[in-house]
Amino acid sequence: MTIKDIPEEWEVRATETPFRGNKTSVRTDDVVMPDGSVVRRDYQVHPGSVAVLALDDEDRVVVLRQYRHPVRQKLWEIPAGLLDVPGENPLHAAQRELYEEAHVKAETWQVLTDVYTTPGGCDEAIRIFLARDLSEAEGERFEVEDEEADMELARVPLGDLVAGVLAGDLHNNCLVVGVLSLVAARQGAGLDALRPAGAPWPARPFEA
């Protein structure tokens, strides 16, 4: 048996969008189940996101701490952001987020992993990149606002982040998945075996 997610789409008898927000919306579908019954499913429609695990030459990860109102916590995270334009190249979006949030650029980019954040209630897909060979970005820093104006920036040893994840002290999904994926990649086939930065992404197709 091949352990691999596969595309499949069950019949939708009716659909409506009871809520439209600034970036996301809520959709209600009447979905036909295998036994022929019809069940209503509500879920958030999301444009997709990218995240960047930026690793420096001292094996430290670029992280930031930001207030997240839904969970009422300040979370340590890796740089991340929305795909603002449909069909946007995710690598370009990731490079933009690393510059805007950390004022850092990277010479080496690979795909670390692709995930659905909460597939039971949201269609958000995130591509997490590994960025290496870091340097300070040129020019002025990006002007931040709202929650980002209170953001803290740091470089934390990878081992400390792993310990924090396993201790239950760190909860941001991109940080958790990215950090543990990096450790798994190193212990497995190695970082050279990771997918190239322009690898296809069926969840959010894009033009190179």
Side-chain angles (χ1 to χ4, degrees), residues 52-63 78-79 98 104-108 112 129-135 155-159 161 179 182-183 186 191:
V52 185
L53 196 152
L55 188 70
D56 70 14
D57 293 339
E58 298 178 40
D59 216 37
R60 300 176 302 174
V61 177
V62 175
V63 292
I78 57 177
L98 184 60
V104 167
K105 64 180 181 179
E107 296 300 323
T108 304
L112 192 52
F129 289 91
L130 174 63
R132 291 179 290 166
D133 300 318
L134 308 183
S135 62
R155 295 195 182 197
V156 178
L158 177 64
L161 295 177
V179 163
L182 175 58
V183 172
R186 282 179 165 176
L191 300 187

Side-chain angles (χ1 to χ4, degrees), residues 75-204:
L75 301 181
W76 283 106
E77 307 178 352
I78 57 177
L82 298 176
L83 293 170
D84 292 330
V85 181
E88 181 179 16
N89 187 310
L91 174 59
H92 297 165
Q95 291 169 331
R96 179 186 68 235
E97 294 300 331
L98 184 60
Y99 163 73
E100 291 182 355
E101 295 192 346
H103 202 65
V104 167
K105 64 180 181 179
E107 296 300 323
T108 304
W109 291 82
Q110 294 164 287
V111 175
L112 192 52
T113 190
D114 299 323
V115 295
Y116 290 114
T117 53
T118 48
C122 179
D123 71 351
E124 181 183 16
I126 294 184
R127 168 157 282 189
I128 303 176
F129 289 91
L130 174 63
R132 291 179 290 166
D133 300 318
L134 308 183
S135 62
E136 291 296 313
E138 300 172 354
E140 296 183 4
R141 286 185 173 272
F142 181 78
E143 188 173 342
V144 296
E145 57 185 11
D146 302 328
E147 290 94 340
E148 292 183 350
D150 188 50
M151 214 162 48
E152 304 169 55
L153 193 65
R155 295 195 182 197
V156 178
L158 177 64
D160 291 354
L161 295 177
V162 172
V165 168
L166 298 180
D169 295 331
L170 301 172
H171 307 91
N172 175 263
N173 60 346
C174 291
L175 184 147
V176 171
V177 173
V179 163
L180 298 185
S181 293
L182 175 58
V183 172
R186 282 179 165 176
Q187 294 177 349
L191 300 187
D192 289 342
L194 292 173
R195 288 172 291 162
W201 189 17
R204 293 295 184 273

Side-chain angles (χ1 to χ4, degrees), residues 2-92:
T2 301
I3 306 299
K4 182 178 181 179
D5 298 336
I6 58 173
E8 183 166 313
E9 190 166 349
W10 292 1
E11 180 186 354
V12 175
R13 291 279 174 83
T15 186
E16 59 184 77
T17 306
F19 171 79
R20 294 184 186 274
N22 187 30
K23 295 290 186 180
T24 66
S25 59
V26 173
R27 182 174 297 162
T28 299
D29 290 343
D30 292 340
V31 186
V32 180
M33 298 289 109
D35 64 359
S37 62
V38 178
V39 176
R40 177 156 288 194
R41 291 288 179 259
D42 303 315
Y43 58 99
Q44 183 184 23
V45 179
H46 194 285
S49 307
V50 292
V52 185
L53 196 152
L55 188 70
D56 70 14
D57 293 339
E58 298 178 40
D59 216 37
R60 300 176 302 174
V61 177
V62 175
V63 292
L64 49 95
R65 184 157 60 178
Q66 184 173 347
Y67 177 66
R68 294 301 188 182
H69 186 68
V71 296
R72 308 301 199 271
Q73 289 193 31
K74 271 191 169 182
L75 301 181
W76 283 106
E77 307 178 352
I78 57 177
L82 298 176
L83 293 170
D84 292 330
V85 181
E88 181 179 16
N89 187 310
L91 174 59
H92 297 165

